[in-house]
Every structure is written in C-alpha cells, then in structure tokens.
Amino acid sequence: MKTQHCQVAIVGAGPSGLALASELAKSDLDVVVLEREDTAGGIPRHCGHSPYGMREFHRLMSGPAYAGRLTREAEQQGARIWLNTTVTEIGPGGKLLLSTVDGVLELQAARVVICTGNRETPRAARLVSGTRPLGIVTTGALQSMVYLKHRLPFMNPLIVGTELVSFSALLTCRHAGIKPVAMIDSNPRVTAIKASAWLPRLLGIPLLLNAVLDEIRGGSRVESVAVSNAAGKLQNIECDGVIFSGNFVAEASLVRASHLEFDARSGGPVVDQYGRCSDPAYFACGNLLHPVDTAGWCWAEGLRTARLLLADLNAELPRTGRVLEIETASPGIRYFTPQRILLPDAHLSENHPGVQLRFAENRSGRISWWGDKGIISGRRIRAQRERRVLLPFPPRDQLSACASLALEFLPDVED
Amino acid sequence: MSDYSSSASLPATLFDIIVVGTGVVGCAMARRFTLEGAKVLVIEKAVDILDGASKANSAILHTGFDAPSPGSQELECIVDGYNEYLEIHARLNLPLLECGALVLAWNEAEADRLEGIQRSAHHNGVTGTRIIDAKELRSKEPQLAHTAVAAVEVPGEFVIDPWSAPYAYLLQALENGACLARNCELLDGHFDSGEWTLKTSKGPLKGRQLINCAGLYGDRLNQKLVGESDFEIRPRKGQFVVFDKSARGLTRSILLPVPTEITKGVVVCPTIFGNLLVGPTAEEQHSRIDAAVDSAQLQALIDKGSSILPALGQHAVTATYAGLRPATEHKDYQIKWYRDRNYCCVGGIRSTGLSAALGIARLVYRQYLAAGNQHSELVDCHWPRVSRIADPGERDWQQPGNGGIVCHCELVTRREIMQALEGPIPPCSLAGLKRRTRVTMGRCQGFYCSAELSDLTDGCFQQPMSSARK
C-alpha cells in the first residue's frame, strides 16, 4: 500500500474543517482535507436557503453559496481538498487508512483533526411503529434530493420535529412545491425559537404540539400516519411521506471503532480543553463534539482549534500534566464537552467559551462547578432542549487547587 | 440468461419443472433441478425475488441440534442443507461466519435442562457440543450478564448472508439454463395428460411438474391447483432490532435461550455484516403481508438484549424490521407429492428455511427420481461467484476503479450499485437493491446517500425513490 504524508489531515470538509484548513494553510502548513462526498462544504452544501455567513462574511448567504465560499478560501490559502476520499480507519499516531476511487492508501499526518459532524436520527433508531414503505426520509436526505439532484421523494409529507432544522425542512418543501400536511412535536413547546412557530402558520400548515407519531402506514409508499395527542386521542392523517427532522447525533463511527477514548454521553470523542483527543496526534472539532450547533459556531470553533493546533506544533501546548476528569451526577445534563482539563492550563485557552452543555428538558436552574472543597463558580441558566448552554471554566488558580471537578445542575423547584 | 421479468410474454416451451415462488426454497429448488439436468422455469408474483418470508430472518445457519426429533422432514433437510452450504459456499463466493452458539441457562431450573438439550443434539447427529460452567462462560463471553449459570456450546451454529445465498442459488440455476419470470402471478392451472397448463398474469405456461414453493401462500396455491391443502398457513411475525456495528464486539457467539414449549425465544446474534441482532418476537397473526414493527415490542427486545449483554444499552439502534414465518398447525414441514397430478407442495417451511433450503431441494429431487423421472446430469456446470458484500473478505472499496463510495455507512461503491442494477437479476425495487448491495442499510439509513441513490436508480424501479422536479 502506498503511504503519503502531510502535516495536518482534516477529516471532513464541513464549516469547521474548512475553517481549520484555511487558517492552518495560511500559516504555510501542508494541509490535506479528506472529504468522502464529491463536493466540499458539508451540510450547508445541501441547505439551499439563508441565513448563512453573517458571523463569517458579514452578509446573508444561502447554504451552497456559503459552502462554496469556505471551500474557495481554503483552496486559495493552499489547502488540498481530496474529494471522494473516505477515511476507513484511524490508527495511533495520526496514521489514516483511506479508500479512494483508485483503491486504498495510507496517509501519515503529524496531526489529524476529526471534523465528521453530525446527522439526524432516522426512523429506525426512534423505534417508530408501523410498516416500512418508501417516502420516509431525514431532512438531510430531503435537502440533498431537492437542492442537489432536483428530485422530490413525495408531495405531502408529515414533518416530525420542531427544531431549527425542522423549519429548514419546511423551507425546503416550500422551495420545491411540496406541501406538508402537518408539523408535529411530542413536546408542549416548539424546540427552536418561539417565533419560528409563525412559519408553518404563515404557510397554512397545522402545527401540532404534544403530538406523538404512533404509526406509519402504507404498502409500497407511505399512505397515512396515526398521531395521538396528550389525551391519547388518535388522529389519522393522510400523507405520502414522513420527514424525521433533527435529533442530531454525532457522526462518530470512525472514532468509536478506533483507539480513541469515546464519550458515551455526547456520542463523540473525549477531548480536553484544547479539543485534543486521548491520542495527542488527534484533535476533534465541530458538531462531532456537540450535536447540533450552527455552521457559524462550528466555523469559529475551527479557527480557534487551528490556533491551538499551531501552538501544539510549536510545542507550546502542554502534553503532560495533571488530568481533571469532569464528572456529573445531574440527570438533567445530557452531555458536555470538553470532558477533561489538562493542568496546568496553558494561556492559550483564554478565549475558550468554556464547557458546552446540552440538557434533556427545558428547565431553569443553576449550573455550577464543584471542586473537592465545594462550589467554585456557577450561574443561573434557562436550559432548553437542543440549545447550547455555556459555562466558563473556573479561574485558573482555583482549577489548579482542585483534586476533582464536577458539574452540577440544580433545577428551580417547580410550583 | 433467460429472465422474462420485464418482458410481456413467456416462452411457449414445455418446461420439465415449474417452480412457484422465489423465496430461499424456490431458489434452491430451481438450482437443484437445473443442476440435475431438468429444464426449469421459476415464477414469482412480486417484482423481486426474496420478497416474502425469506426477506427477514435471523440469518443463522442451523445445525439442527434443537430440531424436532429424528425422523422429521425438518431435521433431515436442515442437516443436508447445512452440509451442502458448507460444501458450496466458497465456490459461489458466499460468506460464512463460524461463530458457534451458546444455549444459555439463567437459573438452576434451566441449567437442569441443558443435559437434555445436549442429548437431543446427539440424537440429531450434532456432535461437538458440550456443557460449560459459569466460569468458563465468563472467560468466553466477558460481556455476558453475570447471572448466566451455564450453557451448552454448539460450535457448528454459523451465520450467513440471508440474501446473497438464495440469490446465488438462483443465479447458478439461471446461468445453467433455467428461466425466471418475476411480476408473474399464477392465476389458475389444470393438469391434463401429464401436463400442467397454467394461466398467469403474463400469459399461459406449460410444464410437466409443478412445485409449490409459495411460502406464505402455500395453502392457497394448494387449494387453487389441487383443490385441497393438508395445512393452513398461520403467519407468525418476528420483529428484530439491529444494533450498530460498535456493538458487534459484545459477543463472539450466537446467544440462544433455553427454548420453551412455545418458542425458541429471543436470540442475540452477530450478523455477517458486522452488526448485532436481537429478536425475533413470535406473534401469531392472520395477515400474510403485514410486517409492521411495534415500538413497544422493539423496546422489549432492546430490554431483553440488554439483560443478556448489559453494555448493549450504550449502543445505537441501526435498523428495525419484521418478518413473517409461514408456520402451520403442524410442527414439521409439509412436503408432499400429489403423484397423480405431478404436483409437489413444499409448505410450512418456517424459521429454519434458510438452513434447510438446499436440503429440501435434495429431498424433493430424490422423491422426484423415486417416481421414475430421470434427466441426464448437466455437463460443464457453471459456478457464478457473487460479489462479496459482507465484511470478512475483500470488498470493492479496496479495489481501484470502484467509482467511489456512495453508501458511507456500509461502504458500498458506485461500481457495486451499477453492477447490481445492470446485473443478471436486476433489482426492480429499492428493497431489492438493498438486499443485493446493502445500500442505506447502515446507521444513517440514507441521510447521506439517498439523494445520490435516487439519482442513480432513476428509471430502474417500479416504485421510484423520487421523481424529477418539474
């Protein structure tokens, strides 16, 4: 097998991977981006509507335009993007196995950044009852069909979910002339910002909350769905498709099959405050660590990780020291990242937004850092499902004095 | 190659054998009779082969250690089928996972029954089994719940690919002269002067002998053609949960429970594709088509699986499915000749059909010979090699010129998809393409590849994945 070499290999050409590539190539590093699709850009590539680019380019762009701009910038800075190239194995010390149209090859990199992103939870993993006809897709699949292939899988689907991406599914339908029959969510409130509930109303599409998808019916194609409300009352809705939107999970199969430490809570790799994995040749960045966040957030994280990686290559990032594993016993916390802090903390993490968390339910309360001697710091939050919560790291001097570190969430007592 | 699936009419030839149904039994039957020199036609009412009972099972190649006592048709066919699969799989390039099975006892009462299970295994001619204690069990399967007290080890229980195996049987039949007609429903038929004249949705057909391999419709076909049926199909639904490949390492062996009077119970089983499977349920029902899954049953399977392998709960579900077994009111298979009408019914082939199919075909052929029929054996028999889509062995993504990977979860290449679409038995449905290549069957279930796939398959399927935007 042929072996090629590079300084930094980036797995995945989405917003975080491309931001990293631009920033690193700017510093004259030999950067290779490995992208398994035939076009770079990641999810924005098939998300044909706004808003993208405000944070990065200070203008309103569509997903494909934004993906194209990120790609061009990375290439202009000198990063090489290898398309149709799949990483099939992650090995110790930055050794990657690749599958290309020409067969397999090995790539040895000094550092690898894993930016494989996230994807939506499909029907099967949600254990939805019923038959398995054609016409059941995720938003990602729908958008790829509509925007990349100009094809329609159905004309009158049901949309399951009310996350940001669910409204993106709605806009995709509108663009393609598809008229959804309804949008449903099992929760009492819309998961995305409250104002988004206006969109289906404006388009004349019923928004059903407290509504559970009980069954999918149909022979070769979807014919109807059974939906029940909070009182258990069943409603039959005729439709020819179902869009399962959101409920993002990390696309971490490579990580899980590798030697890298895996975090069952987030579904991604365990990282320290620099985004470095358990094998110091590997970093991870973007929605792989925190499903799901906006492209702009991932892009900014890419820039930050690039600077940390540069420092690491200049031997400015500590490799050894005392490891504080962050623990939690609070059931409301679904996941958090990073999962560990390496002490002493280098000054480089000063711009770090802190630990990023997700909560299982909408709850108000207080989130705190606990050291072995008691509470260090904390703040009041209003946690919302699928929404980012940030908590800055404790001050450096206090961290150094900690023998252990835990996150605690104390919900407000409900009336 | 004689595939009449997309042509409007059928050949006017008088066939020696007409096989009705292209489940695993029909495919094996077509192969056996073709290799023995008979002129065979197989008809199928669905758009694709393996579209009934054979599309969903546990994919275990059984030894027959727990089959009904010696003398049953089922045991004889399982043993013969098992041996023939081991003999031919390498030549057809079919995979084999030699994982073995453990029949687990979870309490002393079950442990007391292990001796009996071992004894019946010996009675059934399955040797090499032994009883292992809790300590050995733990060292063998460290992820197993610690409450398991003992087990019978059955080293010969293996796992195969439930789709490429019957596909290969049928392909070998076709490459050696058999004909196939899908989309061809048998509407009526009558037997006169040693010949069957059949009315089908594709027009008339003539054959000397008729073999009913109609699976879930076996009793109805009997009624239609010979006016009686010794059995009634009582469909038994089995639901399954497929776990992500990350769970594959949790067990080396197939994990079986001590069976009860009613059911063989829920199995935890590796798949040839590197996943872990939990199932089936056993639900009696009237419908012969309704293979719906039920979220409560699926959750119960996950709970059951997690009680056997506690770490299973940390792994994601990749797929859920259900299959219908053509069970009857009888315990044994219902293989019967109506000699005066040159008609053979191969009915009631319940959950062991995948293991027994090659053996069933041999049995039926022996019975056919015994009635005085004969053919001169095929000279220069062809042995097609099917493409390897299971993980052990060389895969196309490792080879140059593969066209790039389209389905990222299952590493299916563009070349594999095109070869299947343009192949000798082209799939006429997405389900058929999935069975041939595994596209969209991985953890993302089409999030990444279904757009590309719907583009590639444009014009290939009766029910397309999508239509072009106007």
Side-chain angles (χ1 to χ4, degrees):
Chain A
M1 202 188 315
K2 271 195 308 190
T3 302
Q4 301 221 23
H5 293 83
C6 69
Q7 280 172 298
V8 181
I10 295 166
V11 187
S16 63
L18 291 172
L20 264 155
S22 293
E23 196 66 13
L24 292 171
K26 210 184 274 175
S27 305
D28 284 333
L29 288 183
D30 173 24
V31 180
V32 174
V33 187
L34 306 163
E35 171 55 52
R36 61 191 188 178
E37 299 290 344
D38 60 7
T39 319
I43 285 182
R45 187 174 45 97
H46 55 66
C47 192
H49 50 74
S50 306
Y52 282 96
M54 287 306 290
R55 186 196 290 258
E56 306 86 328
F57 307 116
H58 313 293
R59 48 180 286 220
L60 210 57
M61 302 170 89
S62 76
Y66 170 78
R69 172 92 182 253
L70 289 182
T71 308
R72 278 195 306 281
E73 294 216 339
E75 283 174 334
Q76 278 162 8
Q77 297 297 346
R80 288 180 288 160
I81 302 177
W82 294 359
L83 299 173
N84 296 309
T85 303
T86 304
V87 179
T88 56
E89 210 178 305
I90 285 176
K95 186 196 276 184
L96 304 175
L97 280 184
L98 313 182
S99 165
T100 73
V101 288
D102 300 319
V104 285
L105 71 110
E106 202 175 82
L107 179 64
Q108 176 64 56
R111 297 288 183 280
V112 177
V113 194
I114 311 170
C115 305
T116 47
N118 60 180
R119 60 181 155 81
E120 295 164 286
T121 302
R123 178 261 177 97
R126 299 175 189 232
L127 306 184
V128 174
S129 298
T131 55
R132 299 178 302 124
L134 285 171
I136 303 173
V137 300
T138 47
T139 315
L142 170 72
Q143 290 183 335
S144 310
M145 283 190 204
V146 167
Y147 289 115
L148 302 181
K149 304 290 178 189
H150 308 287
R151 303 192 65 87
L152 311 177
F154 38 55
M155 288 316 289
N156 302 108
L158 174 81
I159 300 177
V160 180
T162 58
E163 291 180 39
L164 194 57
V165 67
S166 318
F167 295 95
S168 173
L170 200 55
L171 290 174
T172 304
C173 287
R174 182 165 172 267
H175 169 83
I178 295 170
K179 177 93 197 267
V181 291
M183 189 171 194
I184 70 166
D185 198 308
S186 56
N187 292 292
R189 290 205 312 216
V190 167
T191 307
I193 54 165
K194 215 169 158 188
S196 47
W198 280 103
L199 188 59
R201 280 185 203 137
L202 217 60
L203 298 171
I205 292 157
L207 173 64
L208 310 176
L209 297 173
N210 283 314
V212 177
L213 174 59
D214 279 339
E215 192 186 346
I216 297 173
R217 295 166 181 156
S220 55
R221 308 198 87 89
V222 175
E223 287 159 22
S224 68
V225 291
V227 172
S228 64
N229 65 14
K233 194 163 173 269
L234 266 185
Q235 183 185 358
N236 190 62
I237 304 175
E238 279 184 27
C239 57
D240 63 356
V242 181
I243 304 169
F244 284 99
S245 68
N247 210 337
F248 279 88
V249 293
E251 172 65 358
S253 41
L254 263 180
V255 171
R256 199 150 193 197
S258 76
H259 63 299
L260 300 176
E261 228 174 290
F262 181 76
D263 176 40
R265 279 202 187 91
S266 65
V270 170
V271 291
D272 64 14
Q273 73 268 42
Y274 311 113
R276 194 166 48 188
C277 302
S278 56
D279 174 344
Y282 287 87
F283 284 70
C285 181
N287 278 340
L288 168 69
L289 300 177
H290 41 72
V292 56
D293 225 311
T294 61
W297 181 266
C298 294
W299 173 85
E301 188 181 325
L303 296 187
R304 194 181 71 237
T305 306
R307 288 191 285 271
L308 290 167
L309 199 147
L310 279 170
D312 184 33
L313 287 170
N314 292 330
E316 292 165 25
L317 218 56
R319 277 210 164 193
T320 52
R322 192 157 66 84
V323 174
L324 268 183
E325 302 285 352
I326 303 173
E327 288 159 34
T328 188
S330 298
I333 297 176
R334 211 177 93 212
Y335 73 75
F336 55 86
T337 183
Q339 295 83 2
R340 63 171 53 139
I341 294 175
L342 182 70
L343 294 174
D345 183 42
H347 290 267
L348 295 153
S349 69
E350 261 162 21
N351 294 325
H352 201 293
V355 72
Q356 190 180 146
L357 309 95
R358 287 289 192 288
F359 286 77
E361 300 297 335
N362 293 357
R363 292 302 287 276
S364 299
R366 194 173 172 80
I367 178 90
S368 312
W369 285 113
W370 279 74
D372 43 310
K373 297 178 196 74
I375 290 190
I376 306 170
S377 58
R379 69 185 188 91
R380 268 197 59 76
I381 55 162
R382 245 187 78 224
Q384 288 178 280
R385 297 175 58 246
E386 304 296 346
R387 223 77 77 72
R388 169 177 76 230
V389 170
L390 296 173
L391 180 66
F393 293 128
R396 193 172 297 141
D397 52 331
Q398 295 200 37
L399 264 183
S400 316
C402 286
S404 67
L405 187 63
L407 281 165
E408 184 201 52
F409 177 63
L410 267 184
D412 295 341
V413 181
E414 282 179 52
D415 304 325
Chain B
M1 188 81 75
S2 308
D3 183 3
Y4 295 89
S5 303
S6 49
S7 60
S9 63
L10 297 168
T13 333
L14 173 66
F15 289 95
D16 293 324
I17 305 286
I18 294 176
V19 176
V20 184
T22 57
V24 63
V25 176
C27 291
M29 199 67 70
R31 172 179 176 272
R32 173 51 48 209
F33 278 84
T34 303
L35 297 190
E36 301 290 353
K39 182 72 187 156
V40 176
L41 168 73
V42 204
I43 62 173
E44 167 61 54
K45 72 178 160 75
V47 296
D48 196 22
I49 63 168
L50 307 173
D51 200 49
S54 296
K55 75 176 159 196
N57 53 60
S58 62
I60 299 174
L61 185 69
H62 294 287
T63 54
F65 81 94
D66 57 351
S69 57
S72 70
Q73 284 182 330
E74 183 172 4
L75 176 62
E76 180 187 351
C77 294
I78 291 175
V79 170
D80 277 1
Y82 179 92
N83 289 332
E84 188 171 354
Y85 186 85
L86 295 190
E87 213 175 280
I88 66 171
H89 78 93
R91 291 185 82 180
L92 294 170
N93 200 30
L94 292 170
L96 180 70
L97 184 64
E98 299 178 65
C99 52
L102 295 167
V103 183
L104 300 168
W106 296 96
N107 53 49
E108 288 309 318
E110 286 183 350
D112 288 344
R113 294 184 49 208
L114 297 183
E115 286 282 355
I117 291 170
Q118 164 135 291
R119 235 182 351 260
S120 358
H122 286 177
H123 273 282
N124 288 358
V126 178
T127 52
T129 65
R130 64 192 186 97
I131 294 179
I132 59 178
D133 63 12
K135 191 167 163 236
E136 190 178 349
L137 197 50
R138 258 195 280 292
S139 74
K140 231 178 153 51
E141 295 292 353
Q143 296 288 332
L144 196 64
H146 285 187
T147 42
V149 294
V152 178
E153 187 186 32
V154 191
E157 293 277 300
F158 299 150
V159 164
I160 63 174
D161 176 351
W163 301 300
S164 66
Y167 174 84
Y169 306 160
L170 183 60
L171 186 62
Q172 193 178 20
L174 297 191
E175 288 205 354
N176 288 288
C179 299
L180 167 70
R182 289 171 286 172
N183 276 316
C184 181
E185 185 173 4
L186 179 52
L187 303 172
D188 204 0
H190 67 270
F191 182 72
D192 190 29
S193 331
E195 266 181 47
W196 276 97
T197 305
L198 303 181
K199 199 175 136 197
T200 77
S201 56
K202 274 183 183 275
L205 267 182
K206 277 185 185 302
R208 290 200 177 90
Q209 311 261 348
L210 193 65
I211 306 178
N212 169 359
C213 301
L216 289 157
Y217 296 88
D219 54 345
R220 294 210 181 145
L221 200 66
N222 278 352
Q223 294 288 359
K224 191 176 281 179
L225 296 176
V226 293
E228 61 170 69
S229 182
D230 287 350
F231 60 90
E232 182 194 5
I233 292 292
R234 297 179 177 173
R236 194 178 297 152
K237 180 158 78 181
Q239 303 188 37
F240 292 87
V241 174
V242 183
F243 283 87
D244 188 41
K245 293 185 178 179
S246 62
R248 172 62 185 89
L250 295 180
T251 176
R252 267 182 271 189
S253 325
I254 302 164
L255 304 175
L256 308 166
V258 170
T260 67
E261 272 300 300
I262 310 152
T263 167
K264 278 189 167 181
V266 172
V267 175
V268 177
C269 180
T271 76
I272 199 88
F273 309 109
N275 298 80
L276 203 63
L277 189 73
V278 181
T281 56
E283 305 160 55
E284 308 264 338
Q285 65 177 39
H286 289 294
S287 171
R288 298 171 193 233
I289 49 170
D290 177 15
V293 292
D294 175 79
S295 64
Q297 295 277 5
L298 298 173
Q299 187 59 54
L301 285 176
I302 293 172
D303 295 345
K304 181 73 192 173
S306 307
S307 74
I308 296 166
L309 295 171
L312 196 57
Q314 290 161 25
H315 296 267
V317 168
T318 289
T320 61
Y321 66 92
L324 302 176
R325 287 103 92 183
T328 69
E329 66 272 43
H330 307 287
K331 271 205 158 165
D332 202 0
Y333 290 173
Q334 299 296 306
I335 301 172
K336 180 180 171 182
W337 279 90
Y338 295 75
R339 295 288 186 197
D340 55 336
R341 275 166 282 187
N342 290 1
Y343 179 87
C344 179
C345 169
V346 184
I349 313 300
R350 44 198 196 112
S351 54
T352 47
L354 182 66
S355 311
L358 294 167
I360 293 169
R362 279 180 176 275
L363 173 70
V364 171
Y365 185 69
R366 277 199 305 276
Q367 293 171 343
Y368 173 78
L369 281 188
N373 297 294
Q374 57 176 30
H375 296 285
S376 45
E377 203 181 324
L378 203 68
V379 283
D380 280 345
C381 173
H382 273 248
W383 286 83
R385 288 175 63 81
V386 296
S387 54
R388 181 63 71 94
I389 56 170
D391 271 337
E394 286 217 330
R395 293 278 311 271
D396 196 48
W397 60 264
Q398 297 163 322
Q399 310 304 321
N402 59 52
I405 292 170
V406 173
C407 168
H408 299 298
C409 301
E410 297 297 308
L411 302 176
V412 185
T413 68
R414 188 176 307 270
R415 178 166 59 189
E416 284 176 308
I417 294 168
M418 297 320 289
Q419 278 174 353
L421 290 174
E422 293 159 3
I425 313 173
C428 304
S429 63
L430 176 61
L433 184 65
K434 285 160 89 166
R435 291 194 281 268
R436 284 165 182 76
T437 62
R438 285 197 63 71
V439 284
T440 76
M441 292 184 87
R443 50 180 80 83
C444 92
Q445 296 276 297
F447 177 88
Y448 293 110
C449 72
S450 48
E452 182 68 22
L453 202 57
S454 77
D455 206 33
L456 285 176
T457 58
D458 190 22
C460 298
F461 300 154
Q462 253 181 19
Q463 288 286 342
M465 294 176 71
S466 64
S467 56
R469 222 173 113 191
K470 293 184 188 79

